[in-house]
């Protein structure tokens, strides 16, 4: 009986220390998407590994590691895989900009992802382009088409946005959308493609990393959430709008990340 009690106490101490050692990972594709976070980091420590840089420290009292993944699905997959190998991660938050797809979306608006999918993982036929579910490596089993984000993180994001005052990027106070985000290795500068993504998948934003990170987290059983702010509308002027709105939109997404950390 006495021995059993000791084992329970040791197990409790061990698991609480292990839990404490776990960090929240925050990932952005470009320097502009993470700079304000690394600048705000307390007890900042830089770890260089291969071609990646990891900033560890504290934000809003949470132990975090911040990483730039680079642009596109291959870079995001590579960086996320190494991140999960190298650190004890309890959840992954992605922050950055995207092309807004909702007809009422403007630069600066926020999209909190309920799910992400690869819009370019597909069967391309003469008269049809069929987006397919990916498969994992082990067992070649089908993954879901939509990688769902974590419901707890999603809730924290929804609670936090009520308290945030966002930058007015365009001509109105930013709206917050919650729904599906499409990912592909293409910068969408094409209203037809933007409309196709919205009509066929109800995608509210398009970007180039989310589903890659989502797939790795899904396959590794790590909770994740993607927060994007619109830098453009994926239309004919997307390349120009992206340059104009990248910084303020990135800042709006970061405000949500800080809000989530505060609610944790
Ligand atoms: N990230 C920001 N804008 C984008 C767009 N139009 N297409 C893909 N990724 C983006």
């Amino acid at each position: 009986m006495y021995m059993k009690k000791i084992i329970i106490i040791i197990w409790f101490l061990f698991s609480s220390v292990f839990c404490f050692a776990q960090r929240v990972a925050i990932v952005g594709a470009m320097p502009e998407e993470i700079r304000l976070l690394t600048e705000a980091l307390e007890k900042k420590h830089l770890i260089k590994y291969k071609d990646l840089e990891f900033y560890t420290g504290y934000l809003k009292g949470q132990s975090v590691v911040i990483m730039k993944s680079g642009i596109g699905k291959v870079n995001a997959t590579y960086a996320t895989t190494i991140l999960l190998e190298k650190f004890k991660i309890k959840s992954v938050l992605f922050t950055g900009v995207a092309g807004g797809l909702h007809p009422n979306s403007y630069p600066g608006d926020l999209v909190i992802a309920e799910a992400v999918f690869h819009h370019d993982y597909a069967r391309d036929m003469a008269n049809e382009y069929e987006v397919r579910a990916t498969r994992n490596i082990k067992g070649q089993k089908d993954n879901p088409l939509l990688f769902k984000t974590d419901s707890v993180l999603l809730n924290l994001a929804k609670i936090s946005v009520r308290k945030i005052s966002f930058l007015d990027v365009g001509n109105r106070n930013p709206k917050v959308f919650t729904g599906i985000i499409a990912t592909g290795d293409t910068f969408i500068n094409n209203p037809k493609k933007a409309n196709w993504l919205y009509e066929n998948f109800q995608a509210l934003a398009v970007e180039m990393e989310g589903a890659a990170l989502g797939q790795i987290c899904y396959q590794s059983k790590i909770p994740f959430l993607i927060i994007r702010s619109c830098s453009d509308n994926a239309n004919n002027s997307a390349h120009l709008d992206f340059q104009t709105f990248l910084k303020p939109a990135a800042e709006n997404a970061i405000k949500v990340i800080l809000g989530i950390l505060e609610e944790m």
Side-chain angles (χ1 to χ4, degrees):
M1 191 61 193
Y2 184 65
M3 196 59 196
K4 202 173 163 191
K5 264 190 185 164
I6 290 181
I7 290 171
I8 289 172
I9 289 168
I10 290 173
W11 180 83
F12 177 77
L13 287 174
F14 179 79
S15 59
S16 48
V17 166
F18 183 75
C19 225
F20 184 69
Q22 286 191 320
R23 298 171 205 271
V24 178
I26 306 168
V27 184
M30 298 187 299
E32 294 85 347
E33 292 173 317
I34 56 164
R35 188 166 294 131
L36 292 175
L37 291 170
T38 52
E39 282 172 5
L41 206 52
E42 286 167 25
K43 297 191 183 161
K44 179 159 53 183
H45 180 62
L46 171 63
I47 299 167
K48 292 186 180 191
Y49 182 73
K50 301 202 178 205
D51 42 2
L52 295 169
E53 290 183 345
F54 300 96
Y55 288 91
T56 61
Y58 291 83
L59 282 174
K60 304 285 178 191
Q62 297 291 330
S63 175
V64 301
V65 52
I66 302 171
M67 172 186 85
K68 184 188 73 180
S69 66
I71 297 169
K73 298 204 301 181
V74 175
N75 283 335
T77 305
Y78 169 82
T80 308
T81 304
I82 292 177
L83 169 78
L84 298 184
E85 285 283 325
K86 209 167 161 49
F87 295 89
K88 291 189 178 77
I89 298 296
K90 62 177 171 191
S91 51
V92 181
L93 304 173
F94 193 99
T95 180
V97 302
L101 300 174
H102 191 279
N104 292 329
S105 119
Y106 285 93
D109 287 355
L110 280 299
V111 182
I112 303 171
E114 280 174 336
V116 279
F117 74 102
H118 300 278
H119 70 74
D120 56 358
Y121 190 89
R123 184 167 164 217
D124 197 347
M125 295 168 275
N127 300 315
E128 199 187 345
Y129 185 81
E130 186 193 1
V131 173
R132 314 276 304 244
T134 54
R135 287 180 166 190
N136 64 22
I137 300 171
K138 191 175 164 214
Q140 298 254 62
K141 285 229 188 83
D142 276 354
N143 284 328
L145 181 69
L146 297 175
F147 297 106
K148 285 194 180 153
T149 58
D150 180 66
S151 59
V152 175
L153 296 172
L154 191 61
N155 250 333
L156 295 181
K158 286 180 186 171
I159 293 167
S160 76
V161 293
R162 291 188 213 130
K163 304 177 188 170
I164 295 170
S165 92
F166 290 108
L167 296 179
D168 285 352
V169 174
N171 48 6
R172 63 156 167 74
N173 201 252
K175 272 191 182 171
V176 180
F177 295 91
T178 304
I180 293 168
I181 291 182
T183 304
D185 271 323
T186 326
F187 184 86
I188 308 294
N189 217 161
N190 172 358
K192 264 195 194 159
K193 184 79 180 228
N195 198 43
W196 178 79
L197 289 167
Y198 179 68
E199 293 289 328
N200 285 279
F201 306 99
Q202 293 77 52
L204 300 174
V206 60
E207 37 86 313
M208 301 174 69
E209 297 83 22
L213 177 137
Q215 182 174 344
I216 296 297
C217 289
Y218 171 82
Q219 291 176 183
S220 311
K221 298 184 173 58
I222 301 288
F224 75 97
L225 183 65
I226 316 275
I227 304 292
R228 295 280 185 173
S229 175
C230 302
S231 52
D232 61 88
N233 282 95
N235 55 14
N236 291 328
S237 62
H239 59 304
L240 301 174
D241 295 339
F242 177 83
Q243 301 294 342
T244 311
F245 299 118
L246 166 64
K247 246 180 110 188
E251 187 167 342
N252 275 349
I254 283 172
K255 280 174 183 270
V256 183
I257 299 295
L258 292 172
I260 294 169
L261 294 174
E262 204 153 8
E263 295 296 331
M264 277 179 168

